[in-house]
Amino acid sequence: MDIRFQGVVVIVGNYGSGKTEVAINMALACRQKKTPVRVVDLDLVNPYFRTREARDLLKAHAIDLVLPPAPYLYADLPIVSPAVAGAIRGSGPLTILDVGGDDAGATVLASLAEAFRGQKIQMLQVVNPHRPNTDSVAGCLNMRTEIETAAQLAVTGWIGNAHLMEATSPDTILAGYGFASELSRASGLPLAFITAPTSLIGTLVDKAIDCPILPIQRQLVPPWQSAVKIAPPESN
């Protein structure tokens, strides 16, 4: 099953859920299908592991990245460029907004209400059941309420991002899928897709997973590790 989206897709979730890694890999996956993609870095609360760290990779894949003005690129300031509203209103097939964690990060969305008006919006909440506050269905639903209140937008679906970093195994992915499916049933919202490290995708082929799987190749890593190299396509 392919991962295909159109319009504006807002990626939210709790701190450490893996939102930004999901947003980057989602953009790359959609671009591989020749979809024009724009990514907006809206993480204004966490100075680490933001989409802007992968700007060279995204540029190499012809993915437009909307960032704060250059003098403020690494400033710990809540700066929203006017280009953000323009990107939301733009006519491109797909715009992905990578939003900061928890309700604090989602607050910026409320300030963009005018830009969102009349747009096709999907807001997907990333969930890793191995993180605090989202290790239960009740915790995920509570986080959803807090994010929706801050954003003044409704979550429309879930992204299951179960992992244990380097210790992630096929069983980790399958158990996470079960958790995300339970969350989908409890909330009445669809499970948009789950994620899995690219190296494990082959082990999941024969498993009963009834949703798309996004292969993850880690780009946001500590200084002592190297990001996975992803060669740009030969033509766009």
Side-chain angles (χ1 to χ4, degrees), residues 20-174:
T20 298
E21 199 73 78
V22 168
I24 292 170
N25 281 271
M26 177 181 169
L28 292 168
C30 292
R31 188 71 191 97
Q32 286 176 352
K33 297 178 176 64
K34 309 302 182 183
T35 300
V37 182
R38 177 186 296 116
V39 176
V40 180
D41 186 340
L42 265 185
D43 191 342
L44 307 182
V45 296
N46 181 12
Y48 307 105
F49 300 124
R50 294 181 287 193
T51 314
R52 63 199 70 174
E53 309 300 335
R55 60 189 182 278
D56 291 340
L57 171 67
L58 297 176
K59 181 180 179 181
H61 285 257
I63 295 172
D64 183 24
L65 180 59
V66 178
L67 296 170
Y72 308 107
L73 190 60
Y74 292 102
D76 190 13
L77 299 170
I79 298 170
V80 179
S81 166
V84 172
I88 293 170
R89 295 191 184 100
S91 58
L94 177 60
T95 298
I96 300 172
L97 274 61
D98 176 29
V99 181
D102 292 359
D103 53 335
T107 300
V108 66
L109 296 172
S111 70
L112 295 166
E114 183 60 32
F116 286 130
R117 188 165 290 115
Q119 303 296 319
K120 178 183 177 182
I121 306 291
Q122 294 183 71
M123 187 159 81
L124 304 178
Q125 182 175 336
V126 179
V127 172
N128 182 355
H130 301 290
R131 297 294 299 171
N133 301 321
T134 56
D135 55 356
S136 68
V137 168
C140 293
L141 295 176
N142 181 63
M143 180 67 65
R144 168 193 167 189
T145 298
E146 292 177 354
I147 288 174
E148 289 181 330
T149 300
Q152 297 181 25
L153 288 173
V155 170
T156 61
W158 305 99
I159 297 173
N161 187 42
H163 68 84
L164 291 167
M165 303 297 283
E166 287 75 14
T168 302
S169 69
D171 287 342
T172 307
I173 304 302
L174 291 172

Side-chain angles (χ1 to χ4, degrees), residues 1 174 177 181 190-194 204 207-213:
M1 288 178 280
L174 291 172
Y177 170 66
S181 298
L191 176 57
F193 59 85
I194 65 170
L204 304 173
K207 306 301 181 182
I209 297 178
D210 190 24
C211 73
I213 304 175

